[in-house]
Amino acid sequence: MPFNLKAPDYIYKIKPYIPGKPIEELEREKGIKDIVKLASNENPLGPSPMAVEAIKSYLSNINRYPDGSGFYLKNKLSRFFNLSADTFILGNGSNELIDIAVRTFCDKNNNIIAPFPSFVAYYLAAEQLGIPLKISGLKDYRIDLDLMAGLIDDDTKVVFVSNPNNPTGAYLPAAAIKEFTGNVRDDILIIIDEAYVEYLGESILDVLSLYESQNVLVLRTFSKVYGLAGIRIGYGIGCKELIDLMDRVREPFNVSSIAMVAAKAALDDINYVKNVVDTNESEKTYLYNAFKKLNIDFVETGANFILIGLKNKKAVEVYKELLNKGVIVRSMDRFGYENMIRVTIGTHIENLKLVEGLSLLACG
Ligand SMILES: Cc1ncc(COP(=O)(O)O)c(C=O)c1O
């Protein structure tokens, strides 16, 4: 039977996201145990223990729909940042907020500017609505704000800035971002995606002063430093008029009750977050030193992952060979970096396995 259901033309242009196989399945297929996953920039130390406890004690209430207003979590965030509760929007991961923002502000007569390589969700948010995308290259693996500003035209509606940038890990100083937000026309939404910002220690961006720009949306997530990637929760901070418009577009129960109670507890888990950031810092130093010894190039990171160069070796080959040794990394060939892979900073044991794998492959 022919398949006669047609999607709009722009849907056929989207390159489908290829998710990795579950670790258990790979272990079965390859006949190896203890595969280490350093591919998705997850938190290797497990979830916030306080979040886990909060989830457990909430479980008997999951017959109810979640509170669609996110009352308790927004109040918690309000105290955490000393901002009013109506400047927050919650999302099923910050990824959902990227989509909601684009759906709220753009139509197909607009265009969106995004850096490349950067987080694929920016491209997808535009492509799924047939909104033209203008791609801005990086300079020394860093987002080039001048280049982005130069791409702005009368139809530009959204500009994405990922800071630190995924997949390069490079980041821009607060002063540069502030200057940029001050110079861009105020009818353009600037989305500052700070998914990894907590790894920089002291937040480099003063969220308070940025959101006063009216046309800035700051995105943060509980997926990284709080270790809650699996339950999907992130938040956006913007002026209340901006948040009010986005709220009209979001699905009324877009965030699960479990995710909200977990996130609320995680914000109090200060010791856990400190340990996550400290461990990332010391393991980053360990990996930098190991890469230097192996003569492997790398980009200095402000996040929980490192982009590394493999000299003449092909990233897809190194990816396969590391997989056979029980280490999953991300090949960067899809981003045009044919000889680079991205590795998440893992626990010490995981990192030892990565370094051992790389040294056997003589990538330096
Ligand atoms: C730059 C960036 N933004 C956002 C996200 C998505 O985070 P979330 O899990 O909150 O959807 C990621 C996830 O890898 C990311 O790298």
Side-chain angles (χ1 to χ4, degrees):
M1 277 248 286
F3 180 70
N4 285 327
L5 196 56
K6 291 278 175 280
D9 285 348
Y10 50 79
I11 298 295
Y12 294 91
K13 293 189 188 140
I14 299 175
K15 274 196 209 151
Y17 177 76
I18 307 168
K21 285 188 188 162
I23 292 192
E24 298 73 22
E25 188 54 24
L26 275 173
E27 288 184 337
R28 202 188 52 76
E29 252 177 39
K30 304 249 167 218
I32 38 180
K33 276 210 158 115
D34 300 326
I35 288 187
V36 162
K37 187 177 172 218
L38 301 175
S40 302
N41 306 338
E42 293 149 338
N43 188 326
L45 299 184
S48 143
M50 283 168 71
V52 172
E53 282 314 306
I55 292 173
K56 282 188 196 156
S57 32
Y58 192 82
L59 280 176
S60 60
N61 296 311
I62 58 169
N63 55 315
R64 303 281 175 205
Y65 281 104
D67 162 28
S69 74
F71 182 82
Y72 293 110
L73 179 56
K74 283 189 192 170
N75 275 316
K76 184 89 194 177
L77 286 165
S78 157
R79 289 194 297 279
F80 192 84
F81 285 102
N82 198 20
L83 289 172
S84 123
D86 54 10
T87 58
F88 293 94
I89 182 165
L90 308 178
N92 184 35
S94 55
N95 201 144
E96 189 199 27
L97 295 171
I98 292 168
D99 282 347
I100 292 177
V102 169
R103 289 208 310 271
T104 304
F105 293 102
C106 296
D107 65 34
K108 61 181 186 336
N109 300 314
N110 299 132
N111 64 60
I112 292 176
I113 300 177
F116 183 88
S118 193
F119 187 41
V120 285
Y122 310 149
Y123 319 131
L124 201 51
E127 287 163 357
Q128 70 188 347
L129 297 172
I131 298 166
L133 244 182
K134 289 183 158 192
I135 292 300
S136 172
L138 307 184
K139 191 173 168 194
D140 298 331
Y141 299 104
R142 210 170 256 118
I143 288 177
D144 184 340
L145 294 175
D146 291 336
L147 202 59
M148 294 193 101
L151 289 177
I152 291 176
D153 64 27
D154 290 351
D155 298 325
T156 300
K157 204 57 191 274
V158 173
V159 178
F160 283 103
V161 179
S162 162
N163 200 41
N165 186 39
N166 177 13
T168 62
Y171 60 96
L172 298 168
I177 304 255
K178 274 190 187 171
E179 193 188 324
F180 180 72
T181 56
N183 288 340
V184 169
R185 271 195 343 252
D186 65 1
D187 61 340
I188 295 175
L189 174 65
I190 305 164
I191 301 184
I192 314 283
D193 183 349
E194 298 189 334
Y196 302 93
V197 80
E198 294 90 349
Y199 290 99
L200 290 169
E202 283 291 292
S203 166
I204 57 150
L205 287 189
D206 177 356
V207 174
L208 248 176
S209 64
L210 266 187
Y211 105 104
E212 280 165 3
S213 296
Q214 306 276 329
N215 58 328
V216 175
L217 175 70
V218 175
L219 294 183
R220 296 222 174 160
T221 184
F222 286 94
S223 297
K224 308 296 175 183
V225 87
Y226 294 102
L228 299 177
I231 53 170
R232 316 296 304 120
I233 180 156
Y235 57 100
I237 311 171
C239 73
K240 70 176 180 1
E241 291 82 358
L242 188 162
I243 299 297
D244 173 62
L245 289 170
M246 286 178 65
D247 256 331
R248 296 169 196 223
V249 173
R250 85 178 160 84
E251 190 235 308
F253 301 120
N254 63 327
V255 180
S256 78
S257 47
I258 295 290
M260 285 190 279
V261 292
K264 184 167 164 284
L267 282 172
D268 280 332
D269 213 342
I270 297 164
N271 291 337
Y272 162 83
V273 171
K274 185 174 179 323
N275 185 36
V276 168
V277 174
D278 289 350
T279 306
N280 190 68
E281 212 43 39
S282 57
E283 287 307 311
K284 177 166 81 180
T285 307
Y286 162 72
L287 284 175
Y288 282 179
N289 288 333
F291 295 157
K292 281 180 197 157
K293 273 194 203 134
L294 294 173
N295 199 22
I296 288 175
D297 300 326
F298 59 90
V299 179
E300 288 207 11
T301 186
N304 68 344
F305 57 85
I306 309 176
L307 182 66
I308 66 179
L310 308 163
K311 300 282 188 302
N312 297 324
K313 292 229 172 205
K314 287 257 173 280
V316 267
E317 294 307 320
V318 170
Y319 161 80
K320 279 187 206 149
E321 290 180 55
L322 283 175
L323 187 58
N324 288 333
K325 295 181 176 9
V327 184
I328 313 176
V329 298
R330 183 79 69 185
S331 164
M332 288 289 110
D333 62 301
R334 275 191 133 209
F335 288 98
Y337 294 151
E338 299 286 335
N339 308 101
M340 297 186 108
I341 56 172
R342 190 196 65 197
V343 299
T344 304
I345 300 172
T347 61
H348 194 60
I349 290 175
E350 291 172 337
N351 295 334
L352 282 172
K353 200 160 171 176
L354 168 73
V355 170
E356 186 187 284
L358 286 170
S359 63
L360 290 174
L361 297 175
C363 297

